[in-house]
Amino acid sequence: MQLKEIQALLEAFETSSAVSFVWEQGEEKISFKKAAAYCQTVPSVLPLAAPPTVMSTPSAEPAATPEPAAIESIDAPLVGTFYASSAPDKAPFVSVGDKVKQGQTVCLLEAMKMMSEVPAPFDCVIEEVLIADGTLAEFGCPLFRITRL
């Protein structure tokens, strides 16, 4: 690949919303990662939207309304590169909608060439993956949005 082609790829990558890019052809390999792909801090418990208030005449007993389930997160226990699967050609450990058991591995974090499994803290449902595969996760960074079972 020529320098002009590499520069064109880099410019296209910088203006895209992608956080990482890998190009391989034969023996050549080019990989780009954006520094802005680092985790953004969000609260570890995300409240659901409050139910709308309905004006009515007061009654003798207030009606009991069920509490909405709290949305929680699985946070990074250490600084490291987030991997959703054990290898690039393997399926991710978990996907959105999966029910996971306490202790089940949900991802890997790589720090200093050491792979650490991140387990589910309790039985839960994966609601959202909050970080892109191959990006750096800061300590305490939410990795998954989950609902406790």
Side-chain angles (χ1 to χ4, degrees), residues 51-124:
T53 42
V54 177
M55 298 300 287
S56 63
T57 58
S59 63
E61 260 183 64
T65 57
E67 290 285 321
I71 302 291
E72 300 178 83
S73 65
I74 298 176
D75 301 335
L78 54 100
V79 175
T81 304
F82 171 85
Y83 293 109
S85 62
S86 60
D89 60 337
K90 300 283 184 179
F93 290 106
V94 294
S95 299
V96 173
D98 285 356
K99 291 181 181 180
V100 296
K101 297 285 185 190
Q102 180 178 1
Q104 181 179 337
T105 300
V106 294
C107 68
L108 297 175
L109 288 176
E110 177 189 11
M112 298 174 41
K113 304 291 183 195
M114 295 284 297
M115 293 292 190
S116 298
E117 294 181 351
V118 177
F122 41 77
D123 293 356
C124 59

Side-chain angles (χ1 to χ4, degrees), residues 111-149:
M112 298 174 41
K113 304 291 183 195
M114 295 284 297
M115 293 292 190
S116 298
E117 294 181 351
V118 177
F122 41 77
D123 293 356
C124 59
V125 175
I126 303 296
E127 300 292 339
E128 183 179 5
V129 180
L130 300 171
I131 187 166
D133 195 41
T135 59
L136 184 65
E138 297 174 5
F139 172 77
C141 169
L143 305 172
F144 299 93
R145 196 168 54 98
I146 58 173
T147 303
R148 189 183 296 248
L149 290 177

Side-chain angles (χ1 to χ4, degrees), residues 15-70:
T15 58
S16 75
S17 62
V19 293
S20 65
F21 171 80
V22 177
W23 175 87
E24 290 184 65
Q25 185 174 12
E27 300 268 330
E28 296 178 320
K29 180 178 180 179
I30 296 174
S31 177
F32 301 130
K33 285 187 183 179
K34 290 183 182 174
Y38 294 163
C39 169
Q40 296 177 353
T41 305
V42 295
S44 62
V45 176
L46 304 171
L48 291 175
T53 42
V54 177
M55 298 300 287
S56 63
T57 58
S59 63
E61 260 183 64
T65 57
E67 290 285 321

